[in-house]
Amino acid sequence: MAALPKRIIKETERLISDPVPGITAYPDEANLRAFTVTMNGPDSSPYEKGIFDLELYLPDDYPMCPPKVRFLTKIYHPNIDKLGRICLDVLKDNWSPALQIRTILLSIQALLASPNPDDPLANDVADDWKKDEPKAIEVAKEWTAKYAKAKE
Amino acid sequence: MKVEIVDWQAVASWHWDLKDDSITDELCGICRVAFDGTCPNCKYPGNECPLILGAGCQHNFHLHCILQWLEQDTSKGLCPMCRQVFEFRKDFNTVTKDINSLLMLIDGHKSMRDREVDEEFDSFDDDLRMND
């Protein structure tokens, strides 16, 4: 395997020494381009008090291409589908190499705080969201309590 | 006393000669290595991979870093830092093969943008005609 670029080493060191509040990200020992991520649901959102697991992978052409990020924990959110894929502009067309792992994770946390049912990935969830928002928020809270629990 | 030199090692340090040292103190916005260091693809610093100074904006990069970014269609020819159309100070670099590639990429993105604007106008024209 090719040597790890200095930029990835620097980013990893900073993620560990100066972590983003409410987010942890550790590289896998076997593959330093693969990260195990946990994210706290933002306060006063339906995901509050939930702890979500994600996986993040830096492709070979990172930072020319965005990291691949996916939720592993089940989550009820109009922009996140059943497979945990995330619909977020900076993970696709609006990626820039000036962004980095920590800013991407912050953007995902911000997406949890402000779901956008007008640009849906999970169509059924987005429909529910638009039809009856208070009810959808209740379901999101139930799923958070059921699936996004802290590990013992 | 007689001294015999058995072995010696030369050590040199390297620095870009710019009028403005505040630029060379910065990091490349793409690879995050200091400009006096090399881009991740180079072993030695020098004119093969010079600094590229932003002209529209004030953002600077290693030549190979900005080249690799503008090779991506998704870059849309924009500066990674501020998303303005990326232009660079041509007076500053001697023209090499890679500088030429950079010029061609910037040109390519420009004609792409122009074409998109033309298409938008065309469809706008069509809409007007339909309304007539």
Side-chain angles (χ1 to χ4, degrees):
Chain A
M1 203 170 76
L4 209 61
K6 212 184 227 169
R7 165 168 166 159
I8 296 182
I9 297 171
K10 275 196 197 168
E11 281 198 51
T12 307
E13 281 171 355
R14 187 151 171 241
L15 280 169
I16 292 166
S17 68
D18 175 23
V20 191
I23 297 173
T24 66
Y26 292 101
D28 294 353
E29 264 173 49
N31 182 353
L32 297 174
R33 286 175 175 271
F35 289 75
T36 305
V37 178
T38 68
M39 184 177 288
N40 295 354
D43 289 349
S44 47
S45 80
Y47 312 100
E48 189 175 2
K49 300 209 164 61
I51 298 173
F52 297 87
D53 294 325
L54 296 89
E55 61 180 13
L56 180 146
Y57 186 76
L58 304 174
D60 284 345
D61 36 9
Y62 179 83
M64 296 304 151
C65 288
K68 297 188 188 310
V69 199
R70 191 169 80 89
F71 271 84
L72 298 173
T73 305
K74 246 168 103 88
I75 180 165
Y76 192 78
H77 188 292
N79 311 104
I80 302 165
D81 74 2
K82 264 185 226 150
L83 299 175
R85 294 178 300 190
I86 305 162
C87 178
L88 186 63
D89 63 343
V90 285
L91 286 176
K92 296 185 181 113
D93 293 347
N94 275 342
W95 167 254
S96 146
L99 298 170
Q100 41 177 320
I101 301 172
R102 58 194 303 124
T103 50
I104 284 297
L105 292 176
L106 273 169
S107 300
I108 295 172
Q109 208 180 31
L111 184 69
L112 294 186
S114 48
N116 178 9
D118 293 320
D119 180 24
L121 188 63
N123 282 310
D124 47 341
V125 179
D127 286 345
D128 291 351
W129 215 277
K130 282 202 264 196
K131 256 183 262 156
D132 189 349
E133 190 174 326
K135 192 180 154 223
I137 289 174
E138 272 319 302
V139 177
K141 281 184 187 163
E142 278 167 30
W143 282 38
T144 303
K146 197 167 164 194
Y147 302 112
K149 279 182 289 207
K151 296 199 180 57
E152 299 296 312
Chain B
M1 192 177 74
K2 211 175 165 189
V3 176
E4 191 187 345
I5 297 170
V6 181
D7 191 17
W8 64 281
Q9 277 169 345
V11 176
S13 79
W14 204 91
H15 188 57
W16 282 106
D17 184 16
L18 288 190
K19 286 198 186 72
D20 185 358
D21 262 350
S22 67
I23 292 175
T24 42
D25 291 344
E26 285 172 33
L27 304 182
C28 169
I30 295 176
C31 68
R32 280 168 232 266
V33 173
F35 286 124
D36 280 340
T38 66
C39 89
N41 301 312
C42 285
K43 261 199 163 140
Y44 304 101
N47 288 335
E48 293 281 293
C49 187
L51 260 68
I52 297 296
L53 304 184
C57 59
Q58 299 292 314
H59 299 116
N60 314 314
F61 307 96
H62 290 118
L63 171 59
H64 290 158
C65 293
I66 190 69
L67 202 56
Q68 222 187 329
W69 170 238
L70 294 178
E71 274 166 12
Q72 317 285 323
D73 287 342
T74 48
S75 76
K76 300 174 207 110
L78 306 183
C79 168
M81 310 302 280
C82 62
R83 298 187 201 273
Q84 294 186 65
V85 171
F86 188 75
E87 297 280 352
F88 69 104
R89 279 179 48 188
K90 296 176 188 70
D91 57 312
F92 183 74
N93 299 102
T94 47
V95 177
T96 59
K97 193 171 135 262
D98 284 344
I99 293 275
N100 266 328
S101 313
L102 185 63
L103 286 167
M104 272 172 63
L105 284 170
I106 289 176
D107 236 39
H109 283 295
K110 185 175 180 299
S111 34
M112 197 83 116
R113 275 193 305 273
D114 289 349
R115 206 178 312 149
E116 271 165 27
V117 172
D118 283 348
E119 275 165 18
E120 250 170 64
F121 269 118
D122 284 348
S123 68
F124 182 63
D125 269 355
D126 289 346
D127 287 349
L128 282 182
R129 241 171 268 137
M130 284 216 277
N131 288 335
D132 281 348

